């Protein structure tokens, strides 16, 4: 309620925040479907790429994940708690411990702290097998989460004195109140020099247990909470 509408063209992001607040207020009390014209106008004002038009003046299709990311970023900057903390980070923030280890030497691994507002789930397509069938690929959301928490990077190795390949293994140290998961379906095709989309159905469970993706201290907290809930029942 303390949000104020921006009075200049330089405060379009503030206007978007106010429009978002008003939209959620309307949805909370509405008994009929709502057309979010005010919110859409402020979104296009703050981010003109979402106002692109095609032939005949019809709005062009836009990427939903890009739109959500822009909205979360502006809300994270503008909406603060009385203590000055980001409300968005409190609701959606994920904290991770990332172990980085050289795969070409005996360097001790390092652990870095990372924060994100969404969990990246990598989708992989199947590959042709020698018998004429296709094998592999991502079928389950749990597989996609595991792939998203692991990866590789190349950087200079102090012990080797040259670029080397390092493995990255992330484990969640703090789960959010509400978890956002992004299915990454696009990949770069070298032969066509264009992005391609993996059109593969991925199943997800009704209840997603995140304990296996957490650090040992976080797992312990989850187990204590579950034991406490079981006793209540």
């Amino acid at each position: 309620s303390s949000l104020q509408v921006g009075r200049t063209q330089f405060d379009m992001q503030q206007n978007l925040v106010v429009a978002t607040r008003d939209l959620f207020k309307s949805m909370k009390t509405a008994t009929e479907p709502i057309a979010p014209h005010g919110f859409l106008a402020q979104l296009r004002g703050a981010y003109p790429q979402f106002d692109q038009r095609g032939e005949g003046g019809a709005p062009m299709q836009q990427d939903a994940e890009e739109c959500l990311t822009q909205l979360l970023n502006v809300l994270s900057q503008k909406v603060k708690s009385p203590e000055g903390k980001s409300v968005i980070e409190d609701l959606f923030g994920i904290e991770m411990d990332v172990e980085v280890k050289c795969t070409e030497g005996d360097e001790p691994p390092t652990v870095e702290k990372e924060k994100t507002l969404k969990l990246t789930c990598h989708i992989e397509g199947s590959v042709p097998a020698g018998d004429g069938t296709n094998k592999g690929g991502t079928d389950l959301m749990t597989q996609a989460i595991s792939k998203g928490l692991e990866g590789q990077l190349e950087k200079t190795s102090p012990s080797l004195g040259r670029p080397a390949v390092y493995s990255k293994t992330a484990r969640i140290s703090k789960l959010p109140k509400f978890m956002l998961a992004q299915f990454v379906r696009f990949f770069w095709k070298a032969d066509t020099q264009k992005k391609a989309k993996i059109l593969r159905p991925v199943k997800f469970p009704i209840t997603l247990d995140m304990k296996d993706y957490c650090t040992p201290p976080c797992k312990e907290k989850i187990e204590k909470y579950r034991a406490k809930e079981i006793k209540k029942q």
Side-chain angles (χ1 to χ4, degrees), residues 86-142:
S86 168
V87 173
I88 294 300
E89 290 185 6
D90 180 59
L91 293 174
F92 302 102
I94 301 170
E95 296 180 9
M96 294 187 289
D97 289 350
V98 183
E99 183 184 80
V100 181
K101 184 177 181 180
C102 182
T103 62
E104 303 178 40
D106 296 327
E107 294 176 19
T110 61
V111 178
E112 303 172 354
K113 301 288 185 179
E114 290 187 6
K115 293 183 178 181
T116 183
L117 293 178
K118 60 179 181 291
L119 205 59
T120 301
C121 303
H122 289 280
I123 309 301
E124 295 181 354
S126 57
V127 294
D131 57 2
T133 62
N134 293 329
K135 294 184 178 181
T138 306
D139 297 310
L140 305 173
M141 183 180 182
T142 50

Side-chain angles (χ1 to χ4, degrees), residues 190-214:
D191 55 346
T192 61
Q193 292 295 296
K194 293 182 179 180
K195 287 198 303 183
K197 186 175 184 178
I198 299 175
L199 301 175
R200 184 183 183 89
V202 178
K203 299 178 181 179
F204 55 92
I206 299 300
T207 301
L208 178 62
D209 189 348
M210 293 298 297
K211 190 182 76 170
D212 290 342
Y213 310 105
C214 294

